[in-house]
Amino acid sequence: MRNIFNKKSICFILPSFSDIPCGGYKVVYEYSQEFYKHGYKVYILYIDFLKPFYKWEKVSFFIKFKYLVKRILRYNQKNKWYKLEKGIVELTAPVLSHFWLPKSYNFCATAVDTSYFLDKVNISHSRKFYLIQDFEFWGTSEEYAFNSYKLKLNKIAISPWLCKKLDEVNEQYSYIPNGFNFSYFKLITPIKNRNPHSVALLYHVDDRKRFTDALEALTLVRQNDPLLSVKLFGAFPPPENLPDWITFYLKPNENIHNMILNTSSIFIVSSKAEGFCLPGGEALICGCALACTDCGGINVYAHNTTTALISPVCDPNALSKNILKLINDDSLRIRIATEGNKIIRQFTWEKAYNLFSDFILKHNNE
């Protein structure tokens, strides 16, 4: 009789351990903090998928063994870029096996691959959940992603865009939008006092983020506005040959992160697709006006002409025009930024936790 003695326990299952800050992991860490704060025993399990290992039929046993030992030596790693409460237990499993699961009553998959694993593993006396954070078909297929939505897991979607994906396969789910960290991000510089020519954005190497579109749009803006200055930040080294009107910040700490967003009037998001888009909301907290693409999950808080100016995806020209509108029209910029700052304040982690914990309690009592 496994785990039935402690229903106030939860294990979030993540893909391989990541040294690079990323939104999906940040969401799991924020939820972990909330559940721990409310008395749950919390585990975070990283699955170090070894699918290639089992396909190496022609590789010698010695090479396989050496590879496996090397991977196992990584299993005591802890995340270093998000400070978790000491009582939260981080674990890493080398294979997809019931043996490696901690003694938790509730288990939550957080990505497509982990959802298939959780669906197959035998934990009949526990409850299984699936936090759907994006439409994850990269490296696989849309069918593979859609089929994960049909698994016998209790599903949570974080944006209306993802709710529509679940509706396409006639699946039941609960809609629970993410929260934001209002103790980390703050509005310090009054919106009306900012330099209208200052723009900020996040740099990412993932092609879905379409940094090339953002750079093209900003280059067009610069041709019309020689006073344009851009602050670019991210966890990856900067691209080569950045123009001198772009300043890059690698892995900014809390103070620098807030400085970037509080000394910028406009924040841009150029993505092709987003499950939710934390950076856009974080910029709204800090008082930026948002110029973004119609990339799906961002529509949780980005409403065209009200809290953002929205352009079609993969259209740098349209994005540049919206940036110029905000630069050239102070009243428009201030109104968009002010309304964005108001709407984003409804998305707290306390509210998200309450909805999530109620969802868990409902299924625990079934």
Side-chain angles (χ1 to χ4, degrees):
M1 297 290 290
R2 178 184 173 85
N3 303 329
I4 61 174
F5 56 88
N6 183 13
K7 290 188 175 182
K8 290 200 74 171
S9 56
I10 186 167
C11 175
F12 291 99
I13 306 174
L14 282 165
S16 298
F17 184 88
S18 176
D19 291 321
I20 302 295
C22 55
Y25 282 62
K26 183 191 284 189
V27 167
V28 171
Y29 295 151
E30 293 280 8
Y31 267 127
S32 297
Q33 298 279 78
E34 289 296 326
F35 276 95
Y36 183 79
K37 185 170 72 177
H38 287 86
Y40 273 75
K41 180 65 177 178
V42 179
Y43 302 92
I44 299 172
L45 177 66
Y46 305 99
I47 301 292
D48 200 1
F49 290 102
L50 298 182
K51 291 177 183 177
F53 175 83
Y54 297 110
K55 295 179 181 179
W56 294 354
E57 296 176 0
K58 297 181 181 180
V59 177
S60 70
F61 173 80
F62 174 75
I63 294 176
K64 287 182 180 180
F65 180 75
K66 186 176 179 181
Y67 171 79
L68 186 58
V69 169
K70 183 178 179 181
R71 300 297 282 266
I72 288 176
L73 290 175
R74 298 172 54 203
Y75 297 155
N76 63 349
Q77 288 191 92
K78 308 297 180 187
N79 125 76
K80 293 184 177 69
W81 55 267
Y82 187 103
K83 188 175 181 181
L84 290 166
E85 294 288 345
K86 291 182 180 179
I88 295 173
V89 180
E90 292 180 271
L91 304 166
T92 310
V95 291
L96 311 184
S97 167
H98 176 276
F99 173 79
W100 294 92
L101 292 179
K103 293 182 178 180
S104 177
Y105 188 79
N106 301 291
F107 289 86
C108 184
T110 62
V112 166
D113 280 338
T114 59
S115 72
Y116 280 101
F117 162 56
L118 184 58
D119 180 65
K120 290 178 182 178
V121 72
N122 179 22
I123 43 175
S124 58
H125 297 292
S126 297
R127 297 293 182 264
K128 300 178 179 182
F129 301 88
Y130 182 9
L131 180 63
I132 299 170
Q133 303 196 70
D134 208 339
F135 185 57
E136 302 173 44
F137 64 90
W138 46 89
T140 55
S141 66
E142 291 192 12
E143 182 182 15
Y144 186 74
F146 274 123
N147 285 341
S148 78
Y149 299 162
K150 301 175 186 178
L151 300 174
K152 294 180 180 179
L153 307 173
N154 302 302
K155 302 167 190 75
I156 294 170
I158 65 171
S159 67
W161 179 66
L162 291 170
C163 292
K164 290 179 182 178
K165 297 291 185 185
L166 285 153
D167 289 337
E168 289 182 41
V169 290
N170 297 313
E171 282 296 311
Q172 297 295 312
Y173 59 87
S174 179
Y175 166 50
I176 305 176
N178 293 330
F180 289 93
N181 190 335
F182 293 93
S183 63
Y184 181 103
F185 295 99
K186 303 175 182 69
L187 198 164
I188 301 166
T189 305
I191 293 169
K192 64 181 180 180
N193 293 349
R194 302 187 185 194
N195 174 7
H197 308 276
S198 58
V199 175
L201 71 156
L202 174 70
Y203 172 65
H204 203 291
V205 297
D206 184 351
D207 185 59
R208 294 202 325 156
K209 307 298 184 182
R210 303 297 299 173
F211 174 73
T212 53
D213 290 347
L215 185 58
E216 184 177 341
L218 289 168
T219 302
L220 291 170
V221 172
R222 176 74 177 186
Q223 292 171 2
N224 291 275
D225 178 16
L227 297 178
L228 176 72
S229 65
V230 176
K231 296 181 183 70
L232 179 67
F233 63 96
F236 299 90
E240 295 181 356
N241 302 317
L242 281 177
D244 59 8
W245 42 271
I246 297 180
T247 303
F248 182 80
Y249 300 84
L250 179 64
K251 297 181 180 178
N253 61 27
E254 180 177 343
N255 289 334
I256 295 175
H257 203 167
N258 274 280
M259 178 278 293
I260 292 169
L261 297 178
N262 272 271
T263 57
S264 299
S265 286
I266 302 162
F267 189 85
I268 68 173
V269 174
S270 56
S271 300
K272 184 177 181 180
E274 292 278 357
F276 187 84
C277 192
L278 290 173
E282 291 161 355
L284 294 187
I285 296 172
C286 295
C288 295
L290 183 61
C292 65
T293 51
D294 192 10
C295 53
I298 202 168
N299 297 126
V300 171
Y301 55 81
H303 309 306
N304 195 32
T305 73
T306 304
T307 62
L309 293 186
I310 303 176
S311 56
V313 300
C314 304
D315 189 342
N317 187 55
L319 179 58
S320 71
K321 289 179 179 178
N322 280 345
I323 297 169
L324 279 168
K325 285 180 184 177
L326 293 170
I327 289 173
N328 294 327
D329 188 338
D330 246 12
S331 62
L332 174 66
R333 174 185 65 82
I334 292 169
R335 177 176 62 80
I336 292 283
T338 302
E339 291 301 315
N341 184 260
K342 286 179 183 176
I343 196 172
I344 208 66
R345 295 191 175 279
Q346 68 182 277
F347 298 101
T348 67
W349 280 116
E350 180 72 17
K351 184 183 293 186
Y353 162 78
N354 287 335
L355 292 170
F356 200 148
S357 61
D358 288 347
F359 187 66
I360 286 177
L361 184 61
K362 170 188 171 184
H363 290 284
N364 282 182
N365 291 334
E366 289 179 349

